[in-house]
Amino acid sequence: MTRAQYLQGHSPGRVSDSGLNAFLDRVVARVSFPVTSALMNRRGIVGTYRSLKRTEQASAGELRALQLTRLRRQIAYAARYVPWYRRRFGEIGLDPRDIRSLEDASVIPPLTREDVIENYRDMVDERFRESIAKAESSTRDAGQPIPLALFRRHRLVRNNSSGSTGAPTLFFEDGSVTGLNWALELRLKSWFGVHPGAREARMVRLSTQYVSGGSVNNWRKHLWHQLILPGVNLRDRDYEFCTLALEEYRPLVIWGFTGALTGLADYMRRRGSTPSGIRPRMTIGWAAPVYEHEKALLEEVFGCPATNIYGSREVGHIALKCPHDQFHVNQEFMFVETGEPSDEVDCPPGAGELLATTLVRTPMPFIRYRMGDIARLAPSSCECGRTLEVLEEFVGRTGEIFTTRDGRMIPPNFWCRLFMAREIPGAVNRFQVMYRNDKNIEVRIARGPGFTSETEGYLNKVMRENFAPATEWEIKYVEEIKPAISGKYLMVYREGQTNEKSP
Ligand SMILES: [Zn+2]
């Protein structure tokens, strides 16, 4: 794509005037972003951000006291209104009033992905059953508020997870998870000296779904200072498009799936130079760890620090990496514990599988949710001075991203979307994808009641559109897909990375 082609159909970039820019940033931060977010069901972003800035100065003891208050409230809420937790607490004879310290939570058995997949309807506040039914029958895309499915003053959002293990997880939220995530991202940016309202590019869309210059993308650019870019299944021409768009928009923050960010940086390095107009203050990798070599690449190409968010779609952002390279836990909204030391991977001393508990979540709390990642929790002695506890010796899930022969990235989410597509309702009960060492792909499918003679044609068509021409794949139909010894279902794994030993 040439520059002229790119500029056709695009609104011109903003005149570069630092005084005007600073003014517009303030308008976005104080007016257009919070007001339109509230209209879109995501309330309290600015207020939450302000409270986060206060509590991150608190002492470790004060933070734990705040966590305990919120944990007790969350457990009491779950016991009172959420049938699944009521049963589970009943089975172990737990009265929520028995929780007198954070450590007391350890009597509650960990929540697995399987629990959520099998019981999600029962894991939502029972007063809103009708709304859940409406949300389930809605044809809206995942992540969109559903008009008739009310939860108090909010509209319910149905979403599914992009995790790397297990079948996709359905969950419901009232818009507060997205709102909280954005407040937490404002916190992370503030750690790097980036103010609210600063222009940001977000590499998030599937490249095949991305429509440049679409109306939603345009208003986000102006009202939220967010430039939306493709971030999944990218090829060189997508990277070129991203480069031109970034040159024009000049964001201070580039946010994206880790693989998209590093793919873009790699593309720019292969081209020989970073375009002069792109001078971000930070890059933020999401949905996968930013490994050392990736961090070095990003910092070299963009000339600014590269940071990382740890979390999941179901529970939200758990920890943020500060300028001193420490993962600080968002303790005000999340209680994190380490479970039993894992025998599935070489576990560093004191480390174990992370369990996450949401502290202010309605209508579907997650209590001691198994994250599938290994780390050690430690009090902060970070040079940045923040008291929020830290995750050390972090071992993220690996082997989830597949790079095709022509450099396209296939993240786990691609498979979730493919097999849960509206075009093939109920066709796939469970699936498993193995990336072979010869760069070909094996797909195993346990068929569901909706499987028809047209299903395979649809799957082949979408895969053909997204893979490199030379990539071969094989679909195998199986009666069932068995969990690994750990009890988890691996959705995606690499040949040779034994099914049983994956973290
Ligand atoms: Zn720090």
Side-chain angles (χ1 to χ4, degrees):
M1 185 188 299
T2 65
R3 182 178 304 266
Q5 281 169 328
Y6 166 73
L7 290 173
Q8 265 177 7
H10 271 76
S11 54
R14 186 187 303 147
V15 180
S16 178
D17 173 281
S18 59
L20 176 62
N21 282 350
F23 171 73
L24 289 173
D25 286 356
R26 279 202 298 279
V27 172
V28 168
R30 293 178 192 174
V31 185
S32 59
F33 179 63
V35 170
T36 49
S37 295
L39 291 174
M40 287 182 62
N41 215 31
R42 291 152 187 164
R43 287 154 216 248
I45 296 173
V46 174
T48 305
Y49 168 62
R50 289 204 185 116
S51 83
L52 287 167
K53 292 309 289 173
R54 283 194 298 274
T55 44
E56 72 187 32
Q57 316 282 341
S59 70
E62 286 166 332
L63 281 166
R64 285 176 65 83
L66 173 67
Q67 281 188 299
L68 179 59
T69 306
R70 291 183 168 176
L71 177 72
R72 296 185 63 179
R73 211 178 289 153
Q74 182 88 100
I75 290 175
Y77 169 76
R80 183 151 187 206
Y81 295 116
V82 184
W84 192 83
Y85 286 110
R86 192 158 55 223
R87 269 201 307 279
R88 172 160 277 202
F89 296 164
E91 280 159 19
I92 58 168
L94 175 75
D95 181 328
R97 285 168 298 190
D98 296 341
I99 304 288
R100 294 179 187 281
S101 72
L102 292 172
E103 288 71 26
D104 289 344
S106 65
V107 299
I108 302 170
L111 174 67
T112 65
R113 213 178 167 78
E114 286 303 300
D115 291 333
V116 181
I117 290 168
E118 284 159 22
N119 305 287
Y120 67 90
R121 286 190 193 88
D122 253 3
M123 298 184 76
V124 185
D125 188 327
E126 63 192 349
R127 293 171 295 173
F128 299 92
R129 281 221 168 102
E130 239 172 77
S131 293
I132 299 298
K134 282 181 187 147
E136 286 214 84
S137 60
S138 167
T139 53
R140 292 233 168 182
D141 283 340
Q144 298 296 317
I146 298 155
L148 293 172
L150 293 178
F151 178 77
R152 295 184 187 141
R153 290 175 300 121
H154 304 266
R155 282 160 292 159
L156 216 54
V157 174
R158 181 194 58 210
N159 216 329
N160 52 56
S161 75
S162 60
S164 62
T165 56
T169 314
L170 262 182
F171 64 94
F172 298 88
E173 60 132 329
D174 55 6
S176 56
V177 178
T178 312
L180 176 57
N181 282 346
W182 279 347
L184 291 166
E185 287 177 25
L186 290 175
R187 158 184 270 181
L188 176 62
K189 290 176 211 169
S190 77
W191 293 356
F192 289 83
V194 174
H195 53 269
R199 278 158 298 153
E200 176 180 16
R202 294 175 79 88
M203 301 178 71
V204 287
R205 289 274 191 277
L206 273 173
S207 61
T208 47
Q209 291 173 350
Y210 179 80
V211 183
S212 64
S215 62
V216 171
N217 290 344
N218 258 330
W219 71 251
R220 276 182 85 147
K221 217 153 115 178
H222 297 293
L223 293 179
W224 288 6
H225 278 181
Q226 287 183 355
L227 173 69
I228 300 301
L229 293 173
V232 179
N233 301 345
L234 305 180
R235 284 165 279 185
D236 275 1
R237 66 182 161 110
D238 301 306
Y239 290 131
E240 184 176 6
F241 168 78
C242 289
T243 305
L244 290 164
L246 290 168
E247 255 188 315
E248 183 199 29
Y249 196 66
R250 299 182 187 189
L252 292 189
V253 180
I254 307 178
W255 187 105
F257 294 109
T258 303
L261 280 180
T262 53
L264 176 65
D266 179 60
Y267 167 81
M268 287 178 176
R269 192 166 61 177
R270 279 189 279 126
R271 292 289 298 269
S273 67
T274 312
S276 54
I278 305 176
R279 281 277 165 270
R281 298 249 192 91
M282 65 190 300
T283 60
I284 304 176
W286 183 71
V290 177
Y291 294 108
E292 275 312 300
H293 66 283
E294 295 170 321
K295 184 175 160 67
L297 170 69
L298 290 168
E299 296 190 343
E300 178 202 316
V301 170
F302 293 110
C304 65
T307 181
N308 198 191
I309 294 172
Y310 170 61
S312 79
R313 219 177 269 272
E314 304 96 294
V315 298
H317 296 347
I318 293 174
L320 311 169
K321 205 168 235 186
C322 80
H324 293 270
D325 239 5
Q326 297 285 318
F327 258 131
H328 290 280
V329 175
N330 297 310
Q331 275 178 275
E332 302 93 335
F333 290 90
M334 199 68 72
F335 172 53
V336 180
E337 302 161 85
T338 47
E340 293 295 302
S342 170
D343 49 10
E344 294 164 35
V345 291
D346 291 333
C347 223
E353 185 183 349
L354 295 175
L355 304 173
T357 299
T358 57
L359 293 177
V360 287
R361 176 80 169 261
T362 54
M364 187 172 177
F366 282 78
I367 297 176
R368 308 195 82 225
Y369 187 52
R370 289 182 64 175
M371 294 299 298
D373 301 302
I374 310 293
R376 181 168 62 210
L377 267 169
S380 172
S381 54
C382 184
E383 286 174 57
C384 79
R386 293 182 187 90
T387 46
L388 298 164
E389 62 190 5
V390 295
L391 301 177
E392 295 177 342
E393 306 279 1
F394 187 87
V395 187
R397 287 171 290 224
T398 53
E400 352 176 300
I401 306 280
F402 180 70
T403 311
T404 65
R405 285 195 176 86
D406 60 350
R408 284 181 244 184
M409 183 190 81
I410 310 287
N413 208 17
F414 168 79
W415 300 107
C416 292
R417 288 186 184 162
L418 173 61
F419 294 118
M420 293 183 82
R422 206 173 291 148
E423 285 80 352
I424 50 165
V428 176
N429 259 351
R430 210 176 264 288
F431 65 91
Q432 191 167 52
V433 177
M434 180 175 79
Y435 295 138
R436 290 209 291 244
N437 294 331
D438 60 8
K439 290 239 161 198
N440 292 329
I441 297 171
E442 188 178 291
V443 178
R444 271 169 240 152
I445 292 175
R447 281 168 284 198
F451 194 96
T452 68
S453 53
E454 271 116 61
T455 305
E456 191 174 313
Y458 174 79
L459 296 175
N460 281 327
K461 180 173 91 61
V462 177
M463 286 193 272
R464 175 51 64 218
E465 283 166 6
N466 283 280
F467 300 158
T471 302
E472 308 265 347
W473 64 90
E474 191 185 356
I475 299 179
K476 287 184 175 171
Y477 296 101
V478 294
E479 284 307 307
E480 64 170 332
I481 287 165
K482 292 202 170 82
I485 288 171
S486 63
K488 278 180 270 177
Y489 290 87
L490 283 187
M491 188 173 90
V492 178
Y493 70 100
R494 277 171 205 282
E495 185 178 2
Q497 172 206 25
T498 58
N499 200 329
E500 292 76 20
K501 289 242 170 109
S502 277

Short mmCIF file of all heavy atoms in Angstrom, two decimals, residues 322 326 328 382 384, ligand 1:
data_model
loop_
_atom_site.label_atom_id
_atom_site.label_comp_id
_atom_site.label_asym_id
_atom_site.label_seq_id
_atom_site.Cartn_x
_atom_site.Cartn_y
_atom_site.Cartn_z
N CYS A 322 6.02 -2.58 36.20
CA CYS A 322 6.45 -1.20 36.42
C CYS A 322 7.76 -0.92 35.68
O CYS A 322 8.37 -1.83 35.11
CB CYS A 322 6.60 -0.94 37.92
SG CYS A 322 8.15 -1.55 38.61
N GLN A 326 9.05 -5.03 37.52
CA GLN A 326 8.38 -5.88 38.51
C GLN A 326 6.89 -5.94 38.18
O GLN A 326 6.28 -4.91 37.89
CB GLN A 326 8.54 -5.30 39.92
CG GLN A 326 9.98 -5.23 40.42
CD GLN A 326 10.49 -6.60 40.82
OE1 GLN A 326 9.78 -7.37 41.46
NE2 GLN A 326 11.72 -6.91 40.45
N HIS A 328 3.57 -5.79 39.52
CA HIS A 328 2.83 -5.44 40.75
C HIS A 328 1.38 -5.88 40.62
O HIS A 328 0.72 -5.57 39.62
CB HIS A 328 2.86 -3.93 40.97
CG HIS A 328 4.21 -3.39 41.35
ND1 HIS A 328 4.70 -3.47 42.64
CD2 HIS A 328 5.16 -2.78 40.61
CE1 HIS A 328 5.91 -2.91 42.67
NE2 HIS A 328 6.22 -2.49 41.45
N CYS A 382 10.43 -3.03 45.61
CA CYS A 382 10.77 -2.50 44.29
C CYS A 382 11.31 -1.08 44.40
O CYS A 382 10.83 -0.27 45.19
CB CYS A 382 9.53 -2.52 43.40
SG CYS A 382 9.86 -1.99 41.72
N CYS A 384 10.79 1.25 42.49
CA CYS A 384 9.81 2.25 42.09
C CYS A 384 9.07 2.80 43.31
O CYS A 384 8.39 3.81 43.22
CB CYS A 384 8.82 1.69 41.08
SG CYS A 384 7.53 0.66 41.80
ZN ZN B 1 7.93 -1.36 40.90
#
